[in-house]
Amino acid sequence: MENIIIWIQALSLICGVTYMTLQIFQHKWMWYFSIATSVTALTVASTNHEAGQWAPLWAQVILNIYLIVIAILGIIRWRKLDGESGGQLHIVPLKRKRLFIVLAIIAVGAPLVSFILSKTSDPAPILDGTSLVLSFVAAWLLSRSHIEQYPLWVIANILIISVYATQSKWLMAVMYTYYIVTCVIGYINWKKNGVVVEE
């Protein structure tokens, strides 16, 4: 079983690297690789064991189910934005009201989810819970084409690396390390080449 999980981690790494590379350029195929990455990462998180006991990384399980849904919504949403931007890389400005909502969700959601996870078998509830909330918000911002997603992804990915490192899931840790690099590159590319479109 352990060998199978290593191969699934490797597949997740390949799909994840492809997904994040395509995201830098806002290529529409990124969403399909996002789905493949989430399915494989979901398998790794849901089959996690610690000290011989089944110990799913519940936040990562929930996150990857959510990311599959967000990817489907992103496919639909970005078709519209592609039309509005003439096929160019598009950025939708984040309104102040939406920004306040995002910050409130993080401020309330991170401690709440961490507390809930502390009552489960999750081996890293604070890291897992905080990364879950940040990733939820960042994924939604990405689906709406807000550039502000990138700083949230960086923080979330650092936490996720810590979660997988504590469980010796090294290929997953490598994938999320690559995600941080592509977040920086993606932010620079979006900022430099993005066409601003209104919702």
Side-chain angles (χ1 to χ4, degrees):
M1 182 65 176
E2 187 63 31
N3 287 337
I4 294 172
I5 295 301
I6 291 172
W7 280 106
I8 294 172
Q9 285 184 68
L11 180 58
S12 188
L13 174 62
I14 293 167
C15 292
V17 166
T18 306
Y19 155 63
M20 287 302 292
T21 303
L22 292 172
Q23 184 183 327
I24 293 171
F25 306 103
Q26 265 191 15
H27 193 284
K28 64 183 179 182
W29 277 96
M30 63 170 262
W31 292 115
Y32 300 99
F33 280 96
S34 174
I35 292 170
T37 303
S38 294
V39 168
T40 52
L42 173 63
T43 304
V44 172
S46 63
T47 59
N48 187 61
H49 282 74
E50 184 175 52
Q53 298 294 317
W54 184 52
L57 301 168
W58 289 113
Q60 297 306 309
V61 169
I62 294 165
L63 172 61
N64 283 290
I65 292 170
Y66 171 76
L67 291 177
I68 292 167
V69 174
I70 282 291
I72 294 167
L73 296 175
I75 291 168
I76 296 165
R77 173 77 179 142
W78 279 27
R79 282 180 185 157
K80 181 174 184 282
L81 292 173
D82 279 343
E84 292 175 4
S85 67
Q88 301 289 319
L89 196 151
H90 41 74
I91 299 173
V92 176
L94 183 62
K95 302 279 194 298
R96 183 173 295 180
K97 179 181 177 182
R98 186 170 285 177
L99 174 61
F100 287 140
I101 292 171
V102 162
L103 294 175
I105 290 170
I106 293 169
V108 174
L112 178 62
V113 172
S114 296
F115 173 75
I116 293 169
L117 290 177
S118 72
K119 304 302 180 185
T120 71
S121 59
D122 194 304
I126 295 173
L127 293 174
D128 221 7
T130 305
S131 67
L132 173 66
V133 174
L134 289 171
S135 298
F136 259 57
V137 173
W140 182 80
L141 291 174
L142 171 61
S143 74
R144 309 301 294 183
S145 203
H146 295 305
I147 196 170
E148 291 81 2
Q149 52 141 333
Y150 281 115
L152 295 181
W153 277 127
V154 169
I155 298 168
N157 290 335
I158 289 170
L159 298 176
I160 293 170
I161 289 166
S162 301
V163 170
Y164 280 120
T166 63
Q167 301 302 304
S168 300
K169 301 287 193 284
W170 300 114
L171 290 177
M172 300 302 289
V174 168
M175 180 175 75
Y176 284 99
T177 301
Y178 179 76
Y179 280 11
I180 293 172
V181 174
T182 56
C183 281
V184 174
I185 297 170
Y187 180 85
I188 293 169
N189 188 50
W190 280 38
K191 192 79 173 172
K192 180 180 178 182
N193 300 311
V195 174
V196 175
V197 296
E198 295 294 332
E199 285 189 293

